[in-house]
Amino acid sequence: MPRTVLHWFRRDLRLTDNTALQHAAQAADQVIPVCILSNWKQKHGWTGPNRQQFLCGCLESLSKNLTTLGSRLILRSGSADAELERLIRETRAEAVYFNRDYDIFGRAMEAKIHALCARLGIECHSYQDSVLHEPETVLTGGGQPYRVYTPYSKNWLNLPKTAPQGRITSLGPPADAAISSLPPPTLAHWNLPPCTAEIPTPGERAARDRLKLFIESGILNGYGPQRNIPAGQTTSLLSQDLRFGLLSIREIYQRCMACTTAAQPSVQTYVKELAWREFYVAILWHYPHVFEQEFAPDWQGLPWPGSAADFQRWATGTTGFPIVDAGMRQLLQTGLMHNRLRMITAMFLTKDLHCDWRLGEAFFMQQLVDGDNASNNGGWQWSAGTGADAAPYFRIQNPWLQSVRFDPEGTYIKQWVPELKHVPAELLHKPPAPGLPLAKGYPLPMVDHHTERDRCLAIFAKHKAERV
Ligand SMILES: Cc1cc2nc3c(=O)[nH]c(=O)nc-3n(C[C@H](O)[C@H](O)[C@H](O)COP(=O)(O)OP(=O)(O)OC[C@H]3O[C@@H](n4cnc5c(N)ncnc54)[C@H](O)[C@@H]3O)c2cc1C
């Protein structure tokens, strides 16, 4: 009897170096590739059109790539456990293969799939794929999870790394024509409005092109000194590709490590950023309360008295702080934002406007093409001063100083805030004279940074004192 198995695509929308897919292909005569779309149609506090549009494009491209292999992607919609059960029965599959997802929702669903397979008496195989090291394998000498990045990263960097495998060449015959599949989705599937942002090109091919550009055009070589400069391309721009698994982390790591000796200092800096990604995966895994509460017990219950009107000005990029507005407008127009700007805008919302970091976290998730629960939560809690290894609460970045330090010529600001195009650069990095806007139609700074800094320190200090 030929052996049929299912490969359940999740955050691994690629055919190259896909661990579970490789194992499935080796173990079976026929691998039926499956992807299950969520079917929520209400209001989505954490989702918007940008990331879903990117997903639609990735699924279309995956579907084409599978057809080229002589296979057929089966797309269903609903709850993964119910849909997989249906498919197992329809195809008489003897096993389900998938790559592990360490996200709160991903791990909960995995437990259900294991239980489902046990109930149906079929095999269930899950694999490490999206990270170089799983949360349970990077622990302190005493076997405890880390709470601080530096010792975590030292351990992480020293662990042996798995080499990538090649591209899959065959999955056996396609699923029987009687096995139904939805067409690749559009935003209408989730009742989402059209995507108006200029998001990156989706799909495995486009991601491979981005990786090639990053490594071969010299951007990686300059990554160490340049990565904090938001104007132009100074970073890899691969976060959405890692988020959806269009590239394997093993391949990115191996290709960077294979660069010339001269590039190695920058490669080391880059690899440490990849370790931040896995640090936050581990934080969410070991401390799932961060999803709703402050990581640090000291800061749980901290008040955030910021107003809805102030939040709106931040969200629309009209705060009157050019660097903050540039970051927010880049986000609104592209579904992405440079890391330095994510820190500046997040700190501004929490420390200057005193708005709850959870509001900013959700807004970013609605907009970001690379929106990822672990990294986004980690970044927000870091910026709010409440997270794992966060900056101490009293170290509050001054947006004017950040601006002059990282965008001295105002190149980035002028790209995203066209009203300021003709304003001399030196005027962009300090509050304008009272009542005199920097340009027609551009607002005055909505707050005074020094006043709000003091207010923020007072809120934190009061909370701390009351907890003792
Ligand atoms: C408030 C805030 C929210 C964030 N939300 C997200 C998010 O939802 N999704 C996301 O992928 N990243 C998030 N980040 C991290 C970081 O900003 C992005 O990963 C980075 O800007 C993506 O651009 P890049 O691929 O060019 O990064 P590069 O500088 O080229 O870095 C390479 C890769 O390392 C990882 N990485 C880099 N910096 C970080 C970091 N600080 N934390 C975790 N991983 C990192 C990413 O996977 C990135 O693609 C957030 C940071 C902050 C401060």
Side-chain angles (χ1 to χ4, degrees), residues 10 12-14 35 37 48-66 73 75 183-190 192 195 197 199-207 210 240-241 244-246 369:
R10 310 169 77 201
D12 56 337
L13 305 180
R14 67 178 185 282
C35 187
L37 304 169
N50 300 346
R51 193 164 59 259
Q52 294 310 99
Q53 182 65 56
F54 189 75
L55 170 64
C56 291
C58 292
L59 289 174
E60 194 177 336
S61 145
L62 179 69
S63 175
K64 281 188 189 142
N65 292 344
L66 285 164
L73 178 64
L75 263 175
T186 65
L187 292 179
H189 177 81
W190 299 281
L192 283 166
C195 167
I199 61 171
T201 310
E204 189 173 349
R205 171 41 105 42
R210 282 188 281 270
Q240 67 286 330
D241 306 326
F244 286 98
L246 302 177
V369 178

Side-chain angles (χ1 to χ4, degrees), residues 214 223 235-239 242 270 273-274 276-277 280 337-339 342-343 346 364-365 368 370-372 375-376 379-380 383:
F214 174 57
Y223 185 82
T235 63
S236 67
L237 305 183
L238 296 177
S239 48
L242 281 165
Y270 184 70
E273 295 303 317
L274 300 179
W276 268 109
R277 172 175 169 267
Y280 286 137
M337 197 200 289
H338 186 278
N339 181 58
R342 295 190 203 203
M343 293 194 280
F364 268 30
M365 282 306 282
L368 282 172
D370 67 12
D372 170 82
S375 289
N376 194 45
W380 272 95
S383 307

Side-chain angles (χ1 to χ4, degrees), residues 4-153:
T4 295
V5 303
L6 302 183
H7 171 80
W8 174 31
F9 275 109
R10 310 169 77 201
R11 293 168 68 134
D12 56 337
L13 305 180
R14 67 178 185 282
L15 301 185
T16 305
D17 189 32
N18 183 323
T19 313
L21 191 64
Q22 295 270 3
H23 280 275
Q26 279 156 17
D29 305 291
Q30 181 188 40
V31 180
I32 300 185
V34 182
C35 187
I36 299 165
L37 304 169
S38 54
N39 64 353
W40 36 256
K41 296 200 193 303
Q42 312 85 23
K43 201 171 179 321
H44 317 291
W46 279 55
T47 307
N50 300 346
R51 193 164 59 259
Q52 294 310 99
Q53 182 65 56
F54 189 75
L55 170 64
C56 291
C58 292
L59 289 174
E60 194 177 336
S61 145
L62 179 69
S63 175
K64 281 188 189 142
N65 292 344
L66 285 164
T67 308
T68 311
L69 272 192
S71 184
R72 179 164 73 99
L73 178 64
I74 303 297
L75 263 175
R76 297 276 172 100
S77 163
S79 180
D81 52 339
E83 292 309 313
L84 283 176
E85 174 161 5
R86 221 165 268 148
L87 263 170
I88 291 165
R89 293 186 193 283
E90 288 173 29
T91 59
R92 296 171 195 276
E94 294 171 50
V96 176
Y97 285 72
F98 59 86
N99 291 311
R100 288 194 278 275
D101 177 0
Y102 310 94
D103 185 84
I104 283 190
F105 303 109
R107 71 196 268 197
M109 185 50 79
E110 275 166 27
K112 288 189 186 176
I113 303 304
H114 279 287
L116 165 71
C117 291
R119 176 161 59 77
L120 298 180
I122 70 165
E123 298 162 29
C124 187
H125 299 281
S126 73
Y127 296 88
Q128 169 181 345
D129 183 73
S130 68
V131 291
L132 285 167
H133 302 295
E134 293 193 303
E136 297 292 354
T137 63
V138 192
L139 299 172
T140 64
Q144 295 302 309
Y146 288 96
R147 301 172 70 88
V148 177
Y149 168 77
T150 303
Y152 169 91
S153 68

Side-chain angles (χ1 to χ4, degrees), residues 264-440:
Q264 282 308 312
S266 277
V267 168
Q268 293 308 319
T269 309
Y270 184 70
V271 167
K272 284 185 191 153
E273 295 303 317
L274 300 179
W276 268 109
R277 172 175 169 267
E278 299 197 11
F279 175 64
Y280 286 137
V281 168
I283 291 292
L284 186 55
W285 175 267
H286 292 294
Y287 307 100
H289 74 271
V290 295
F291 212 48
E292 285 171 355
Q293 282 185 319
E294 286 77 6
F295 171 86
D298 269 1
W299 303 124
Q300 286 168 9
L302 185 76
W304 298 98
S307 74
D310 283 357
F311 178 83
Q312 257 334 95
R313 286 193 63 178
W314 172 84
T316 48
T318 52
T319 65
F321 283 69
I323 193 74
V324 173
D325 294 341
M328 295 309 292
R329 295 195 201 182
Q330 181 188 13
L331 177 65
L332 297 172
Q333 288 175 43
T334 67
L336 288 168
M337 197 200 289
H338 186 278
N339 181 58
R340 175 57 47 187
L341 269 299
R342 295 190 203 203
M343 293 194 280
I344 294 174
T345 55
M347 238 188 222
F348 185 81
L349 183 73
T350 52
K351 306 287 177 66
D352 286 81
L353 302 185
H354 319 293
C355 289
D356 195 325
W357 58 269
R358 280 160 283 238
L359 295 174
E361 180 192 28
F363 186 77
F364 268 30
M365 282 306 282
Q366 283 165 15
Q367 302 292 331
L368 282 172
V369 178
D370 67 12
D372 170 82
N373 290 339
S375 289
N376 194 45
N377 180 275
W380 272 95
Q381 292 229 32
W382 184 93
S383 307
T386 62
D389 207 7
Y393 76 91
F394 46 82
R395 205 171 290 156
I396 297 174
Q397 285 172 357
N398 179 331
W400 299 113
L401 297 182
Q402 291 283 307
S403 182
V404 72
R405 183 163 169 209
F406 296 111
D407 191 30
E409 305 302 324
T411 317
Y412 175 81
I413 291 174
K414 291 180 183 204
Q415 180 182 358
W416 299 107
V417 189
E419 304 97 288
L420 300 178
K421 222 175 194 142
H422 303 295
V423 176
E426 65 274 15
L427 299 182
L428 299 171
H429 312 302
K430 57 183 182 196
L436 286 179
L438 276 175
K440 197 164 170 259

Side-chain angles (χ1 to χ4, degrees), residues 175-191:
D176 193 276
I179 307 293
S180 67
S181 172
L182 296 169
T186 65
L187 292 179
H189 177 81
W190 299 281
N191 275 356

